[in-house]
Amino acid sequence: MGDGGGLRADLVLEYPFTRTTGPVIGAFLTGLREGVITGIRRSDGTVMVPPVEYDPVTSEPLTEIVEVAACGEVVSWTWVDPPRPQSPWDEPHGLALIMLDGTDTPLLHGVLVGSAAELWTGMRVEAVWRDERVGHICDLAGFAPEVPGAVA
Amino acid sequence: MRDVAVVATAQHQVAALTGTTEVQLMVPLLNAVRDAIGLTQADIGFTCSGSSDFLAGQAFSFVHTLDAVGSVPPISESHVEMDGAFALYEAWVKIQTGAADTALVYGYGKSSPGSLRDILALQLDPYHVAPLWPTADAVAALQARLLLESGVSGAGELAEIAVRSMRHAVGSPHAVRSSADVTVADVLAEAPVADPLRPSDIAAEADGGCAVVLAAGDLARGLCERPAWIRGIDHRIDAHGLGVRDLTRSPSAAAAAVRAGAGDDRLDFAELHGLYTSQEAILVRELDLDDDLLVNPSGGALAGNTTMAAGLMRIAEAAARISAGEGDRALAHATSGPCLQQNLVCVLEGE
């Protein structure tokens, strides 16, 4: 107390457990470590990225992991400025739902451009990988505008 | 089914509660609802609350708040880590089973000590999304852009919702954002903070609490001159993943409204728990509300959003209005999760 600012105390929240990610989420995270993005095929043939263990409509278990493209199209976006202190990004950045080529559900990730003016719905983007990958969504540093003619 | 009614309500909401604990916040509110109908805690059959340990920063934080209720002699009690509206649903079910005839329901939240828009990232997928720490506003902005660019809503429509909320909130004792003279042009002139969302599109954060007493049948009639009868109540949920559903829709809201019987008769007004103007626009469509229906006479959650109580406050606002004779039939809505993922609809009627 003292200055009228209320009581203050440091508190460290801990989660002293380990988890296994299982055959579906685990496959996705392992893929990221190898530098590939994977999805999962539903019984109607559509592909969901990131893969989920159960079909969100029919609830049936899903098992068919497929490798998908590391490039695609922005379907919705916003601009994050200032960057959030806990996030993997130190600079203002885009945040977007990205429909990777050949997939049917968009992936949420950052888009690495300098200003909101460089973002638009329908823009082509490609994955930017970190050099050191550990099997985590942040193995993707984000997505950058696709360079025309370059091989993704 | 047993007839169950809201027979007393109390709420308190301010921009920031400083130097006040959740227990200190709830003591006067719980006393107010019980005193209003002459009940003591010994007369309450079931007590149920909604609050968040993530906001309090402490596991089982709701146990402390039971000090405000009074739990000696022992009481029958439960808690949901959700808005108090969902605690009200549990209490309604408890009364339906016959295990209780009265219930005390409350919800409360103090988000001002932390950063709510960041904390809410923790409700997202823990492997694919939460590690990116998207703010609640950023996630809502992705939904709002889809809504705007699909042509379902225009920026003008969203600004009109913001203006309506601020104007209705004038004179509302619990609103923390109101304005009698704000215009659509004023709102559209604001710079986006989570593009395309402008400050007035985003619910005003608040701290506060709400308490409600439910009673069954003739007991309700004896406690209250004009009980607000719960004619229908239902909640439904959509898939969790942000990419796996059409974010311009909220099928769970539509399903809850149908199952609660919202469209079975004329409504006099609706209280909606939309946390962004874009969400309110989606809700008006999904709940199939008439264009000329009075929406959010209190200003709604946009005028004051106490996380974990804003939904229960919608039910309390609707019930208080009905009990005061300012309407005969109302829809109250509460939401949970990102982008209107889970929705509760409660239809209230006076006799």
Side-chain angles (χ1 to χ4, degrees), chain A residues 32-63:
Chain A
L32 293 178
R33 194 176 66 202
E34 303 304 318
V36 296
I37 303 176
T38 55
I40 201 156
R41 197 182 304 280
R42 301 163 78 178
S43 58
D44 65 359
T46 58
V47 175
M48 300 178 66
V49 177
V52 296
E53 291 162 322
Y54 297 92
D55 189 295
V57 176
T58 66
S59 303
E60 66 184 323
L62 299 175
T63 56

Short mmCIF file of all heavy atoms in Angstrom, two decimals, chain A residues 32-63:
data_model
loop_
_atom_site.label_atom_id
_atom_site.label_comp_id
_atom_site.label_asym_id
_atom_site.label_seq_id
_atom_site.Cartn_x
_atom_site.Cartn_y
_atom_site.Cartn_z
N LEU A 32 6.42 -28.99 -39.02
CA LEU A 32 6.98 -27.64 -38.94
C LEU A 32 8.48 -27.70 -38.66
O LEU A 32 9.27 -26.96 -39.24
CB LEU A 32 6.27 -26.83 -37.84
CG LEU A 32 4.80 -26.48 -38.09
CD1 LEU A 32 4.24 -25.71 -36.89
CD2 LEU A 32 4.62 -25.66 -39.36
N ARG A 33 8.86 -28.64 -37.80
CA ARG A 33 10.28 -28.77 -37.48
C ARG A 33 11.09 -29.14 -38.73
O ARG A 33 12.22 -28.71 -38.90
CB ARG A 33 10.47 -29.85 -36.39
CG ARG A 33 11.84 -29.83 -35.75
CD ARG A 33 11.92 -30.85 -34.64
NE ARG A 33 11.80 -32.21 -35.15
CZ ARG A 33 11.42 -33.25 -34.42
NH1 ARG A 33 11.14 -33.10 -33.14
NH2 ARG A 33 11.32 -34.45 -34.95
N GLU A 34 10.45 -29.92 -39.61
CA GLU A 34 11.12 -30.34 -40.85
C GLU A 34 10.97 -29.30 -41.96
O GLU A 34 11.46 -29.50 -43.07
CB GLU A 34 10.53 -31.68 -41.33
CG GLU A 34 10.61 -32.81 -40.31
CD GLU A 34 12.04 -33.06 -39.83
OE1 GLU A 34 12.95 -33.03 -40.67
OE2 GLU A 34 12.23 -33.25 -38.61
N GLY A 35 10.20 -28.25 -41.68
CA GLY A 35 10.02 -27.21 -42.69
C GLY A 35 8.91 -27.50 -43.68
O GLY A 35 8.93 -27.00 -44.80
N VAL A 36 7.95 -28.32 -43.28
CA VAL A 36 6.78 -28.56 -44.14
C VAL A 36 5.50 -28.30 -43.35
O VAL A 36 5.46 -28.47 -42.13
CB VAL A 36 6.74 -30.00 -44.72
CG1 VAL A 36 7.92 -30.26 -45.63
CG2 VAL A 36 6.68 -31.03 -43.60
N ILE A 37 4.47 -27.87 -44.07
CA ILE A 37 3.17 -27.64 -43.45
C ILE A 37 2.25 -28.79 -43.83
O ILE A 37 2.20 -29.19 -44.99
CB ILE A 37 2.57 -26.30 -43.90
CG1 ILE A 37 3.54 -25.16 -43.57
CG2 ILE A 37 1.21 -26.05 -43.21
CD1 ILE A 37 3.09 -23.79 -44.07
N THR A 38 1.57 -29.33 -42.83
CA THR A 38 0.67 -30.45 -43.10
C THR A 38 -0.76 -30.07 -42.72
O THR A 38 -1.00 -29.20 -41.89
CB THR A 38 1.07 -31.70 -42.29
OG1 THR A 38 1.14 -31.35 -40.91
CG2 THR A 38 2.41 -32.25 -42.75
N GLY A 39 -1.68 -30.79 -43.39
CA GLY A 39 -3.09 -30.65 -43.07
C GLY A 39 -3.69 -32.03 -42.89
O GLY A 39 -2.96 -33.03 -42.84
N ILE A 40 -5.00 -32.09 -42.79
CA ILE A 40 -5.65 -33.39 -42.64
C ILE A 40 -6.85 -33.44 -43.58
O ILE A 40 -7.56 -32.44 -43.74
CB ILE A 40 -6.04 -33.66 -41.17
CG1 ILE A 40 -6.24 -35.15 -40.93
CG2 ILE A 40 -7.27 -32.85 -40.73
CD1 ILE A 40 -6.05 -35.56 -39.48
N ARG A 41 -7.02 -34.61 -44.23
CA ARG A 41 -8.10 -34.74 -45.20
C ARG A 41 -9.37 -35.24 -44.53
O ARG A 41 -9.34 -36.16 -43.73
CB ARG A 41 -7.68 -35.69 -46.34
CG ARG A 41 -8.57 -35.54 -47.57
CD ARG A 41 -8.19 -36.52 -48.68
NE ARG A 41 -6.79 -36.43 -49.11
CZ ARG A 41 -6.31 -35.51 -49.95
NH1 ARG A 41 -7.09 -34.59 -50.44
NH2 ARG A 41 -5.03 -35.53 -50.28
N ARG A 42 -10.48 -34.57 -44.88
CA ARG A 42 -11.78 -35.01 -44.37
C ARG A 42 -12.40 -36.01 -45.34
O ARG A 42 -11.92 -36.18 -46.46
CB ARG A 42 -12.69 -33.79 -44.22
CG ARG A 42 -12.13 -32.75 -43.29
CD ARG A 42 -12.82 -31.42 -43.45
NE ARG A 42 -14.13 -31.40 -42.79
CZ ARG A 42 -14.91 -30.32 -42.76
NH1 ARG A 42 -14.52 -29.20 -43.38
NH2 ARG A 42 -16.07 -30.34 -42.15
N SER A 43 -13.47 -36.64 -44.92
CA SER A 43 -14.07 -37.68 -45.77
C SER A 43 -14.64 -37.11 -47.06
O SER A 43 -14.80 -37.82 -48.05
CB SER A 43 -15.15 -38.45 -44.99
OG SER A 43 -16.14 -37.54 -44.54
N ASP A 44 -14.92 -35.79 -47.08
CA ASP A 44 -15.42 -35.20 -48.33
C ASP A 44 -14.28 -34.74 -49.24
O ASP A 44 -14.52 -34.12 -50.27
CB ASP A 44 -16.37 -34.03 -48.02
CG ASP A 44 -15.65 -32.86 -47.34
OD1 ASP A 44 -14.43 -32.96 -47.09
OD2 ASP A 44 -16.33 -31.85 -47.05
N GLY A 45 -13.05 -35.06 -48.84
CA GLY A 45 -11.90 -34.75 -49.68
C GLY A 45 -11.26 -33.41 -49.39
O GLY A 45 -10.15 -33.14 -49.86
N THR A 46 -11.93 -32.55 -48.63
CA THR A 46 -11.36 -31.25 -48.33
C THR A 46 -10.22 -31.41 -47.31
O THR A 46 -10.16 -32.40 -46.58
CB THR A 46 -12.41 -30.27 -47.79
OG1 THR A 46 -13.01 -30.82 -46.62
CG2 THR A 46 -13.50 -30.01 -48.84
N VAL A 47 -9.33 -30.40 -47.29
CA VAL A 47 -8.15 -30.46 -46.43
C VAL A 47 -8.18 -29.31 -45.43
O VAL A 47 -8.37 -28.15 -45.81
CB VAL A 47 -6.86 -30.40 -47.28
CG1 VAL A 47 -5.62 -30.33 -46.39
CG2 VAL A 47 -6.79 -31.61 -48.20
N MET A 48 -8.00 -29.66 -44.16
CA MET A 48 -8.00 -28.65 -43.09
C MET A 48 -6.59 -28.38 -42.61
O MET A 48 -5.84 -29.31 -42.32
CB MET A 48 -8.85 -29.13 -41.90
CG MET A 48 -10.30 -29.40 -42.25
SD MET A 48 -11.19 -30.02 -40.82
CE MET A 48 -11.12 -28.57 -39.80
N VAL A 49 -6.25 -27.09 -42.50
CA VAL A 49 -4.96 -26.66 -41.94
C VAL A 49 -5.22 -25.58 -40.89
O VAL A 49 -5.91 -24.61 -41.19
CB VAL A 49 -4.04 -26.09 -43.04
CG1 VAL A 49 -2.74 -25.58 -42.42
CG2 VAL A 49 -3.73 -27.14 -44.09
N PRO A 50 -4.70 -25.70 -39.69
CA PRO A 50 -3.95 -26.84 -39.18
C PRO A 50 -4.86 -28.07 -39.03
O PRO A 50 -6.07 -27.94 -38.95
CB PRO A 50 -3.44 -26.35 -37.83
CG PRO A 50 -4.36 -25.24 -37.44
CD PRO A 50 -4.85 -24.63 -38.70
N PRO A 51 -4.22 -29.26 -39.00
CA PRO A 51 -5.04 -30.46 -38.87
C PRO A 51 -5.70 -30.54 -37.49
O PRO A 51 -5.13 -30.10 -36.51
CB PRO A 51 -4.02 -31.60 -39.05
CG PRO A 51 -2.71 -31.00 -38.71
CD PRO A 51 -2.79 -29.54 -39.06
N VAL A 52 -6.90 -31.07 -37.46
CA VAL A 52 -7.59 -31.29 -36.18
C VAL A 52 -7.93 -32.77 -36.05
O VAL A 52 -7.99 -33.50 -37.04
CB VAL A 52 -8.87 -30.43 -36.07
CG1 VAL A 52 -8.52 -28.95 -36.05
CG2 VAL A 52 -9.85 -30.73 -37.19
N GLU A 53 -8.15 -33.19 -34.83
CA GLU A 53 -8.32 -34.62 -34.57
C GLU A 53 -9.70 -35.14 -34.95
O GLU A 53 -9.88 -36.32 -35.22
CB GLU A 53 -8.04 -34.89 -33.08
CG GLU A 53 -6.58 -34.69 -32.72
CD GLU A 53 -6.34 -34.52 -31.23
OE1 GLU A 53 -7.16 -33.86 -30.57
OE2 GLU A 53 -5.33 -35.02 -30.74
N TYR A 54 -10.67 -34.23 -34.91
CA TYR A 54 -12.04 -34.65 -35.22
C TYR A 54 -12.66 -33.66 -36.19
O TYR A 54 -12.39 -32.45 -36.13
CB TYR A 54 -12.89 -34.71 -33.93
CG TYR A 54 -12.37 -35.73 -32.96
CD1 TYR A 54 -11.47 -35.37 -31.97
CD2 TYR A 54 -12.75 -37.06 -33.07
CE1 TYR A 54 -10.96 -36.32 -31.08
CE2 TYR A 54 -12.25 -38.02 -32.19
CZ TYR A 54 -11.35 -37.64 -31.20
OH TYR A 54 -10.85 -38.58 -30.34
N ASP A 55 -13.50 -34.16 -37.07
CA ASP A 55 -14.18 -33.31 -38.04
C ASP A 55 -15.11 -32.35 -37.30
O ASP A 55 -15.95 -32.80 -36.51
CB ASP A 55 -14.97 -34.18 -39.02
CG ASP A 55 -15.52 -33.37 -40.18
OD1 ASP A 55 -16.38 -32.48 -39.95
OD2 ASP A 55 -15.10 -33.64 -41.31
N PRO A 56 -14.99 -31.04 -37.53
CA PRO A 56 -15.81 -30.09 -36.76
C PRO A 56 -17.30 -30.17 -37.10
O PRO A 56 -18.12 -29.66 -36.35
CB PRO A 56 -15.23 -28.72 -37.15
CG PRO A 56 -14.51 -28.94 -38.43
CD PRO A 56 -14.03 -30.36 -38.42
N VAL A 57 -17.64 -30.78 -38.22
CA VAL A 57 -19.06 -30.89 -38.60
C VAL A 57 -19.61 -32.26 -38.26
O VAL A 57 -20.65 -32.38 -37.61
CB VAL A 57 -19.24 -30.60 -40.11
CG1 VAL A 57 -20.70 -30.79 -40.51
CG2 VAL A 57 -18.77 -29.19 -40.43
N THR A 58 -18.91 -33.32 -38.67
CA THR A 58 -19.45 -34.67 -38.48
C THR A 58 -18.94 -35.34 -37.21
O THR A 58 -19.46 -36.38 -36.81
CB THR A 58 -19.06 -35.57 -39.66
OG1 THR A 58 -17.63 -35.75 -39.64
CG2 THR A 58 -19.48 -34.94 -40.99
N SER A 59 -17.91 -34.77 -36.59
CA SER A 59 -17.28 -35.31 -35.38
C SER A 59 -16.51 -36.60 -35.61
O SER A 59 -16.00 -37.20 -34.66
CB SER A 59 -18.31 -35.53 -34.26
OG SER A 59 -18.97 -34.34 -33.96
N GLU A 60 -16.39 -37.08 -36.87
CA GLU A 60 -15.67 -38.34 -37.08
C GLU A 60 -14.17 -38.13 -36.87
O GLU A 60 -13.65 -37.06 -37.17
CB GLU A 60 -15.97 -38.91 -38.46
CG GLU A 60 -15.45 -38.06 -39.60
CD GLU A 60 -15.85 -38.62 -40.96
OE1 GLU A 60 -15.86 -39.84 -41.12
OE2 GLU A 60 -16.15 -37.81 -41.85
N PRO A 61 -13.48 -39.15 -36.35
CA PRO A 61 -12.02 -39.03 -36.17
C PRO A 61 -11.34 -38.87 -37.53
O PRO A 61 -11.74 -39.50 -38.51
CB PRO A 61 -11.63 -40.37 -35.54
CG PRO A 61 -12.90 -40.99 -35.07
CD PRO A 61 -13.99 -40.46 -35.93
N LEU A 62 -10.33 -38.02 -37.61
CA LEU A 62 -9.60 -37.79 -38.85
C LEU A 62 -8.18 -38.30 -38.68
O LEU A 62 -7.58 -38.14 -37.62
CB LEU A 62 -9.59 -36.29 -39.18
CG LEU A 62 -10.97 -35.64 -39.39
CD1 LEU A 62 -10.82 -34.14 -39.60
CD2 LEU A 62 -11.71 -36.28 -40.56
N THR A 63 -7.64 -38.93 -39.75
CA THR A 63 -6.32 -39.56 -39.62
C THR A 63 -5.39 -39.29 -40.80
O THR A 63 -4.19 -39.51 -40.69
CB THR A 63 -6.46 -41.09 -39.48
OG1 THR A 63 -7.19 -41.58 -40.61
CG2 THR A 63 -7.19 -41.47 -38.20
#
